[in-house]
Amino acid sequence: MARQSPNRPDADKPEPDLEIDEDLDEAGDEIDDDEIEEEAATSRSTSSGSSALWADTKIDPVEIALPSGVGYTLRAYRLSTSLTPTDIGDREEEDLFAAKAKHAVPDEDDDTVVILDDDFPSEEDEEDEDDETSRRGKHARTEDAEEPSAEDFEDEEEEEAAEDVPVFLSHRGRLLLFKSPESLVTFVRSGAPNDLAQVEGWADLVERIQPADVAPSDEDSYELDLVVENLRGGHDTWDFNLLIEAGEAARDLSYALRLNPVLTALAPGSPLDDLDEALRAAAGGGLGAFRGRRRLKKIGAQQASLGWRTIIGKISAAVDWRD
């Protein structure tokens, strides 16, 4: 019997099943594709759920970057007539809202009777009044039943005075900023007192909010920590969108937290308000942009940076950081 050569392949050894290997590769590819699709679907579902939450409650997550750090909070816009302003009784500085209240006419006690000289007309006044009445005679105007009453005018004035104003997750005049979405959600669910608890939709938010929902959009992210440095760089380096968005955030915060110095610094006609208008014109494009840039050249970079440094300092001092 002839001996088989050691270099000759064994004829009895089975060939590898290539079809099985190909099937395994295809199965692996299918598993990977399924996992990717499942993760994508989960991501879409989470994003959709977050959008629905904010749309239903009309409350939005906000990210604010300050020199002391970056934090998350919540903001809503509601009619001014439906909100109770945050309590700043512990704050020593003069408050614009309190100043307005000082000039309001106090309510008289029920038992107090105020007598004015005009309540007792002279005899000449009475005679003049009688003559005027007789001259009018039959031409005196009769009131129409459909004419608006005084109450209707009052209601109309109240509707005109009401406007959408910002309210933040704040308490006693201090903005609550959280360093992580988890800590924000923990606070919201804790039932701790805050200024947002008075708005419609808050109870729904407390029940549904999850850490994954706290993902502010670009429009709700404000980099206040970069404003002063950007202004110091000079007109050619100014970031229009950065500065415009910072102005919007500062106005919202100053109103909601009742920061009178910031309200004054950004009031219409102030240097920083002129800067804001020029920035908006420059960012708008067209002929207005050219004029806006010319206006910006006339605004001192040092003056603008100093003004904004004061604003950032006032806002930072009104922040209550929560881990």
Side-chain angles (χ1 to χ4, degrees):
M1 181 177 177
R3 190 174 64 177
Q4 186 177 6
S5 170
N7 295 328
R8 182 173 176 267
D10 189 356
D12 297 331
K13 185 177 180 180
E15 295 292 336
D17 192 344
L18 298 179
E19 294 182 357
I20 295 177
D21 293 341
E22 292 176 355
D23 292 341
L24 291 176
D25 291 339
E26 292 177 359
D29 293 340
E30 291 178 0
I31 293 174
D32 292 340
D33 292 341
D34 291 342
E35 291 178 352
I36 294 174
E37 179 61 28
E38 183 177 352
E39 292 177 359
T42 302
S43 177
R44 288 194 298 269
S45 176
T46 302
S47 176
S48 176
S50 300
S51 300
L53 172 64
W54 307 124
D56 293 344
T57 60
K58 296 182 180 179
I59 302 173
D60 296 306
V62 176
E63 182 181 47
I64 299 177
L66 292 167
S68 53
V70 180
Y72 300 94
T73 189
L74 301 174
R75 175 183 60 188
Y77 292 96
R78 296 292 189 272
L79 288 177
S80 56
T81 53
S82 66
L83 295 175
T84 299
T86 187
D87 182 10
I88 57 170
D90 298 336
R91 191 181 298 166
E92 295 180 357
E93 65 185 25
E94 183 181 357
D95 176 49
L96 179 63
F97 296 82
K100 289 183 178 181
K102 290 180 182 179
H103 297 289
V105 178
D107 295 333
E108 301 291 346
D109 295 336
D110 294 338
D111 298 334
T112 302
V113 178
V114 179
I115 300 177
L116 302 176
D117 291 339
D118 294 339
D119 292 336
F120 298 93
S122 62
E123 294 180 0
E124 295 179 356
D125 294 335
E126 291 179 352
E127 291 177 357
D128 292 341
E129 185 176 351
D130 292 339
D131 292 339
E132 179 65 22
T133 303
S134 62
R135 282 195 299 269
R136 286 197 299 265
K138 62 180 179 179
H139 299 291
R141 182 176 61 87
T142 57
E143 295 185 358
D144 190 344
E146 297 181 358
E147 183 179 357
S149 63
E151 294 181 356
D152 294 333
F153 283 116
E154 290 178 0
D155 294 340
E156 190 173 323
E157 289 178 357
E158 289 181 0
E159 290 179 0
E160 292 178 356
E163 58 180 349
D164 279 336
V165 296
V167 54
F168 283 84
L169 187 59
S170 57
H171 183 57
R172 300 188 69 83
R174 296 178 66 82
L175 176 68
L176 305 180
L177 271 185
F178 301 84
K179 295 185 177 180
S180 68
E182 290 77 12
S183 60
L184 187 151
V185 172
T186 299
F187 176 85
V188 169
R189 292 177 175 174
S190 69
N194 66 84
D195 297 318
L196 265 181
Q198 64 181 305
V199 306
E200 183 180 358
W202 177 255
D204 188 20
L205 178 69
V206 172
E207 294 181 359
R208 296 168 54 185
I209 190 170
Q210 300 291 334
D213 297 324
V214 186
S217 64
D218 292 340
E219 294 179 353
D220 294 324
S221 299
Y222 305 97
E223 298 174 311
L224 300 181
D225 57 330
L226 303 180
V227 172
V228 174
E229 192 65 26
N230 184 253
L231 288 170
R232 285 176 177 171
H235 302 85
D236 295 334
T237 64
W238 285 358
D239 186 332
F240 298 161
N241 290 331
L242 169 70
L243 300 176
I244 291 172
E245 291 173 358
E248 293 174 350
R251 285 182 173 85
D252 279 1
L253 289 168
S254 62
Y255 185 93
L257 303 178
R258 300 169 72 174
L259 300 176
N260 186 36
V262 180
L263 285 170
T264 302
L266 296 173
S270 66
L272 292 183
D273 182 63
D274 292 341
L275 170 63
D276 183 73
E277 289 186 356
L279 289 167
R280 292 177 184 275
L287 182 59
F290 174 74
R291 293 176 177 174
R293 291 178 184 276
R294 289 186 60 185
R295 289 175 60 187
L296 288 177
K297 294 293 184 181
K298 300 178 182 179
I299 297 176
Q302 183 177 3
Q303 179 186 11
S305 63
L306 288 174
W308 262 105
R309 186 174 67 178
T310 301
I311 288 178
I312 301 299
K314 293 291 184 181
I315 293 175
S316 298
V319 171
D320 184 1
W321 285 98
R322 301 294 182 94
D323 294 333

